[in-house]
Amino acid sequence: MENKMFCFQCEQTAGCQGCMGAAGVCGKKADIAELQDRLTGALIGLARAVEGNEDRASATMDRVVLEGLFATITNVNFDSDSLNLLIQRVEGEKKSLIPLCYECDTACGKNGDYDMRRLWTANEDVRSLKSLILFGIRGMAAYAYHAAVLGYADQDVNKFFYKALFAIGMEDWGMEELLPVVMEVGKVNLACMALLDRANTETYGNPVPTEVSLTVEKGPFIVISGHDLYDLKQLLEQTEGKGINIYTHGEMLPAHGYPELKKYSHLKGNFGTAWQNQQKEFSDIPAPILFTTNCLMPPKKSYADRVFTTAAVSYPELVHIGEEKDFSAVIKKALELGGYQEDTTFTGINGGEKVMTGFAHHTVLSVAGQVVEAVRAGAIKHFFLVGGCDGAKPGRNYYTEFVKQTPADSIVLTLACGKYRFNDLNLGTINGLPRIMDMGQCNDAYSAIKVALALSEAFQCGVNELPLSIVLSWYEQKAVCILLTLLHLGIHNIRLGPSLPAFISPNVLKFLIEQYHIAPISTPDADMAVMLA
Ligand code: SF4
Ligand code: SF3
């Protein structure tokens, strides 16, 4: 490949084909793309060394696999130093596992790192299936990482990462060998999301319905973005009693529903909308912003001195807070900047001044009887799950229009950052139940699955027979593992948008259509008509 880089893992990939120039649409430069490929190739080498003997993998090895995969997710790590360090750590783990191989002159090829160019130039179907595996485990690694920082691990999940990485490195595997691994990503990701759900709820309690203000009160404040609840908890503890308020941003919004986080009175509200608006929304903000995970966009000069990173996120020249989680630099910056002089109200994209969250499975299932009764009485005729990532494409206003068109006797379940397209709409209630229920972050797809399974049990039918329509929006790799989980559960007729992944080859798409009747979104009117028919 004479192009400088190749990456097609996210929805905004150049020309719906692949970022191939000096930098990707996300701002990832060719040298960083190459380092991320080397890191992935090194992880495949480690999986080769472990192959057939996953019990030899240590806890530190499992951790470096999670961190290595997480670092390559879109909008997470743009920093060569930290990527080089990760590569060294992977090589160090491999060396500890097979020290003799490092002294051996015979290249047997069994433990070598994998050259990712072999994947990018492979037969399109093989490339497609291996991409589904790779991007799926990248997303899943983020979830396993969040569980791990709370002290939760599932050995079957951890072992599967090696199996999946090994499969990507297999040169002579075709559809027959790769397809089962693709489907296994979905199965294992279900276990991984269940693990994270347990980690979050056992640590911070079951989320409860919570109204979240979009007004920023006067005085010093910090905005915290990303998915990591542990980082938020540390920040809340370290800022308590210091006269600094904390506002969530992006995927941190659902944190407001957790009892052990909402108990902090200085966790005040939410700032801004979804990730793609950050360069505009942060341009003149008188406060620091802490990124705990994706989606970090290359910061503009106007606010770069106020952005901090921690955990898997890294960007050159930004201050990175290490594992000791000492946020004093962020606190100092908040006090220096001082915040707004007056309470300042922002609105959601539809003009709303507050949003609701906290409708995870525990809350929804606690009113299951009421929901089932409302369905039997005809007050609720349809459920929609409209969830997933947000992004910059103009066509994404589909999701706003779609939700606006949902009939008054329907419920909209939502999750992840795509909800910012409509979560400030007031769609009213049905028998006291709000018509829009935010189930949480993208990993809380687990909640939606639990609710769908409970409904199918209550009505004694399969999930595909329920009056339930699923409309997903995707952008990065966590959406890939969630989609694979829904397919693993045998869920049909999923609508996917705003465009289909560039890494799905025509043959793989044909398979998905034939087996699962997956379809691209069209127009809100046309899709709504089909779903309600
Ligand atoms: Fe392009 Fe997306 Fe890859 Fe960034 S992550 S280089 S935008 S395909
Ligand atoms: Fe959003 Fe980046 Fe995917 Fe967890 S924050 S959903 S895009």
Side-chain angles (χ1 to χ4, degrees):
M1 255 189 313
E2 69 274 5
N3 293 311
K4 286 192 173 160
M5 67 181 281
F6 182 77
C7 182
F8 66 167
Q9 67 170 348
C10 83
E11 175 269 337
Q12 69 179 356
T13 196
C16 292
Q17 291 196 319
C19 294
M20 303 183 210
V25 178
C26 62
K28 179 166 76 178
K29 300 219 170 78
D31 60 329
I32 298 300
E34 198 213 324
L35 275 176
Q36 293 190 352
D37 275 1
R38 271 186 46 211
L39 173 56
T40 308
L43 287 167
I44 293 171
L46 179 62
R48 285 170 166 169
V50 166
E51 203 251 327
N53 204 351
E54 281 84 4
D55 290 337
R56 290 175 69 202
S58 62
T60 50
M61 204 174 285
D62 290 346
R63 181 65 178 249
V64 84
V65 169
L66 299 188
E67 289 184 34
L69 288 167
F70 196 171
T72 57
I73 288 179
T74 303
N75 291 341
V76 169
N77 191 319
F78 299 79
D79 179 51
S80 58
D81 289 348
S82 63
L83 290 167
N84 274 314
L85 200 61
L86 274 166
I87 294 169
Q88 281 170 24
R89 284 172 61 198
V90 177
E91 295 298 347
E93 290 299 335
K94 195 165 82 164
K95 206 166 185 172
S96 71
L97 202 61
I98 45 166
L100 293 179
C101 289
Y102 279 78
E103 287 153 23
C104 170
D105 291 334
T106 319
C108 66
K110 284 196 178 148
N111 304 312
D113 292 355
Y114 179 70
D115 183 344
M116 290 294 283
R117 284 173 299 186
R118 299 187 78 84
L119 171 53
W120 307 140
T121 54
N123 154 293
E124 66 171 2
D125 294 328
V126 167
R127 184 174 76 153
S128 184
L129 293 169
K130 288 186 174 180
S131 294
L132 276 166
I133 297 169
L134 176 61
F135 304 153
I137 61 170
R138 282 178 175 172
M140 188 167 88
Y143 298 151
Y145 175 92
H146 294 307
V149 296
L150 295 176
Y152 287 73
D154 176 330
Q155 286 318 314
D156 290 339
V157 172
N158 284 345
K159 281 180 190 168
F160 179 72
F161 286 110
Y162 299 97
K163 179 180 176 181
L165 285 163
F166 184 81
I168 297 163
M170 287 305 284
E171 297 291 358
D172 50 357
W173 282 17
M175 193 100 166
E176 205 181 312
E177 292 87 0
L178 293 170
L179 200 50
V181 187
V182 172
M183 299 319 294
E184 203 176 343
V185 175
K187 179 180 172 198
V188 179
N189 184 54
L190 180 61
C192 188
M193 290 196 297
L195 175 76
L196 179 54
D197 181 78
R198 198 157 61 81
N200 283 340
T201 54
E202 287 181 1
T203 310
Y204 303 119
N206 278 302
V208 293
T210 303
E211 188 177 283
V212 182
S213 166
L214 303 181
T215 296
V216 177
E217 294 181 16
K218 67 177 180 188
F221 70 102
I222 296 170
V223 171
I224 179 168
S225 189
H227 302 67
D228 201 294
L229 302 182
Y230 175 77
D231 288 332
L232 172 62
K233 168 80 171 168
Q234 302 308 306
L235 184 66
L236 286 166
E237 278 176 5
Q238 291 177 36
T239 46
E240 197 169 19
K242 292 202 164 78
I244 299 172
N245 290 327
I246 305 297
Y247 292 85
T248 55
H249 170 263
E251 277 282 69
M252 202 58 88
L253 164 63
H256 290 276
Y258 288 89
E260 284 303 309
L261 300 172
K262 73 192 290 225
K263 72 179 185 189
Y264 291 92
S265 59
H266 62 302
L267 177 61
K268 288 284 183 183
N270 187 72
F271 175 86
T273 52
W275 68 271
Q276 74 279 359
N277 300 321
Q278 66 190 256
Q279 291 177 332
K280 196 168 83 197
E281 292 174 345
F282 294 162
S283 66
D284 56 359
I285 184 178
I289 306 119
L290 173 65
F291 274 89
T292 67
T293 72
N294 54 319
C295 277
L296 171 71
M297 294 175 84
K300 298 271 186 208
K301 270 200 184 123
S302 56
Y303 66 90
D305 64 330
R306 280 163 269 164
V307 183
F308 295 79
T309 61
T310 190
V313 198
S314 208
Y315 195 91
E317 288 164 35
L318 296 187
V319 177
H320 183 80
I321 314 287
E323 291 212 353
E324 70 290 354
K325 302 292 175 192
D326 175 359
F327 293 120
S328 37
V330 192
I331 292 168
K332 187 165 167 266
K333 185 61 97 180
L335 293 171
E336 261 167 40
L337 291 166
Y340 294 107
Q341 302 289 314
E342 300 298 332
D343 292 0
T344 308
T345 297
F346 298 89
T347 63
I349 68 165
N350 302 290
E353 293 181 1
K354 54 184 194 284
V355 294
M356 286 290 289
T357 191
F359 294 93
H361 58 86
H362 184 264
T363 291
V364 178
L365 294 182
S366 70
V367 291
Q370 206 182 325
V371 174
V372 170
E373 210 31 64
V375 174
R376 292 219 162 102
I380 298 175
K381 291 213 173 66
H382 207 92
F383 295 89
F384 295 92
L385 172 60
V386 188
C389 309
D390 207 346
K393 280 223 177 107
R396 282 184 182 267
N397 59 3
Y398 166 97
Y399 297 95
T400 315
E401 294 312 312
F402 183 89
V403 169
K404 280 184 183 167
Q405 287 190 23
T406 54
D409 53 9
S410 67
I411 295 280
V412 179
L413 304 173
T414 188
L415 48 93
C417 65
K419 64 173 159 266
Y420 282 99
R421 295 273 166 177
F422 49 79
N423 67 343
D424 63 326
L425 288 171
N426 183 359
L427 294 191
T429 57
I430 299 177
N431 295 355
L433 299 165
R435 282 200 50 229
I436 298 185
M437 296 193 204
D438 175 15
M439 307 194 99
Q441 300 179 338
C442 46
N443 44 288
D444 296 308
Y446 180 70
S447 266
I449 289 167
K450 280 199 87 160
V451 168
L453 293 176
L455 283 174
S456 73
E457 209 171 289
F459 292 106
Q460 294 178 337
C461 66
V463 172
N464 291 322
E465 277 75 60
L466 287 172
L468 166 70
S469 304
I470 301 181
V471 192
L472 297 185
S473 51
W474 86 284
Y475 168 65
E476 39 77 34
Q477 297 72 52
K478 297 176 196 180
V480 177
C481 61
I482 291 168
L483 177 65
L484 292 177
T485 295
L486 295 175
L487 299 184
H488 154 73
L489 291 166
I491 295 175
H492 286 192
N493 298 317
I494 295 170
R495 299 273 164 165
L496 185 61
S499 52
L500 295 179
F503 53 83
I504 301 286
S505 69
N507 282 332
V508 172
L509 182 62
K510 190 165 164 264
F511 168 81
L512 294 177
I513 292 170
E514 282 173 6
Q515 291 290 315
Y516 301 102
H517 312 288
I518 197 165
I521 57 167
S522 60
T523 63
D525 302 38
D527 289 349
M528 186 66 71
V530 171
M531 287 171 196
L532 295 177

